[in-house]
Amino acid sequence: MEVLGIDIGGSGIKGATVDTAAGVLTRERLRIPTPRPAAPGAVAQAVREIAEHFSWTGPMGVTFPGVVLDGVVRTAANVDKSWIGVKGADLFGEQAVVLNDADAAGVAEMTFGAGRDRHGVVLMLTFGTGIGSALFVDGALVPNTEFGHIEIRGKEAEHRASDRVREEEDLSWDKWARRVEEYLRHMRDLLSPTLIVVGGGVSKKADRFLPYVDLGDTPVVPAVLRNEAGIIGAAMAAAGAARIP
């Protein structure tokens, strides 16, 4: 069964139809630059454009870069603050399921990717405009963790070690990797994970920076689904809500 998944990010809004049983895109994804400002109405129009591109009228999953409780947006760190208090179904339609972007990516990665069949504590971190996080305990999601806002050296972690910061400060891969490692060591000491998965758009370039990251006995691996994880996880959430096999 195909379900449409849409992943709202700080720089781009990406969508595709997904085979939720296999965890793969069934058609080439469409990416639209995130509007500036990224206000609800403008983003909703981009989401509609993606749905129309795929001639989609059924259930769809939509990720959001912030805390989402019972379908209502509660925080908006890297998009317009007018999102706070918005109910996703009112904006995107009653068939839309809205959830945190990193949680969606993490669920997909735990089901079909690097976290598959892993027990204990698994932490997935997505590096992009900000840093998203998804925490799992024996496969069960602890939602809306938002560990990218943990303070490192007096600044939020995502203001030191996100991929956006790497680009803005023109950091070399090894210099950025040192910031990433410092952050990952902090998270390791807090959570004692058995595995850390690095996702987001930068995961496709993992060979450029992960060789510089060493956490001793704690393995750090790139996401298998890379930047498609959010789309797949969004579709999985919608399929689950609609009770689609």
Side-chain angles (χ1 to χ4, degrees):
M1 174 66 77
E2 281 188 331
V3 180
L4 181 64
I6 297 178
D7 187 14
I8 298 172
S11 61
I13 300 172
K14 306 169 290 291
T17 50
V18 176
D19 179 338
T20 55
V24 296
L25 307 190
T26 57
R27 283 179 272 182
E28 185 176 350
R29 73 174 191 170
L30 174 65
R31 183 186 187 277
I32 296 175
T34 302
R36 294 287 183 267
V43 171
Q45 177 58 35
V47 169
R48 282 192 291 272
E49 287 180 29
I50 292 173
E52 290 168 2
H53 173 81
F54 291 100
S55 302
W56 193 260
T57 58
M60 67 177 182
V62 181
T63 78
F64 181 79
V67 172
V68 181
L69 294 174
D70 298 322
V72 178
V73 174
R74 298 299 185 190
T75 67
N78 293 304
V79 291
D80 198 83
K81 300 301 181 188
S82 59
W83 276 95
I84 297 172
V86 169
K87 184 178 181 181
D90 291 343
L91 194 64
F92 303 121
E94 289 298 325
Q95 294 197 83
V97 174
V98 182
L99 69 161
N100 175 267
D101 57 348
D103 286 349
V107 167
E109 199 66 28
M110 290 295 291
T111 306
F112 300 109
R116 188 172 185 173
D117 299 326
R118 293 296 296 243
H119 298 288
V121 176
V122 176
L123 176 64
M124 180 166 175
L125 296 165
T126 59
F127 291 81
T129 304
I131 297 176
S133 60
L135 183 67
F136 297 85
V137 181
D138 291 333
L141 172 68
V142 181
N144 293 306
T145 48
E146 294 289 279
F147 289 137
H149 302 300
I150 282 180
E151 192 172 289
I152 304 287
R153 295 180 184 257
K155 297 176 72 173
E156 288 189 13
E158 66 177 29
H159 295 161
R160 282 183 45 81
S162 68
D163 192 41
R164 173 182 56 82
V165 169
R166 179 188 65 80
E167 292 180 345
E168 288 179 352
E169 297 186 15
D170 195 25
L171 298 173
S172 63
W173 286 105
D174 60 330
K175 188 171 182 178
W176 182 65
R178 288 198 291 272
R179 294 191 185 188
V180 172
E181 180 180 300
E182 180 181 35
Y183 170 57
L184 295 185
R185 285 182 177 276
H186 189 71
M187 297 311 304
R188 178 201 62 186
D189 294 345
L190 285 174
L191 300 171
S192 301
T194 59
L195 176 69
I196 297 176
V197 181
V198 173
V202 77
S203 60
K204 63 188 175 188
K205 303 173 184 175
D207 60 324
R208 299 189 184 184
F209 68 94
L210 277 189
Y212 299 109
V213 175
D214 182 6
L215 262 61
D217 293 336
T218 303
V220 182
V221 300
V224 171
L225 303 178
R226 297 184 176 180
N227 212 22
E228 295 179 354
I231 295 172
I232 294 170
M236 291 171 65
R243 299 188 178 181
I244 297 170

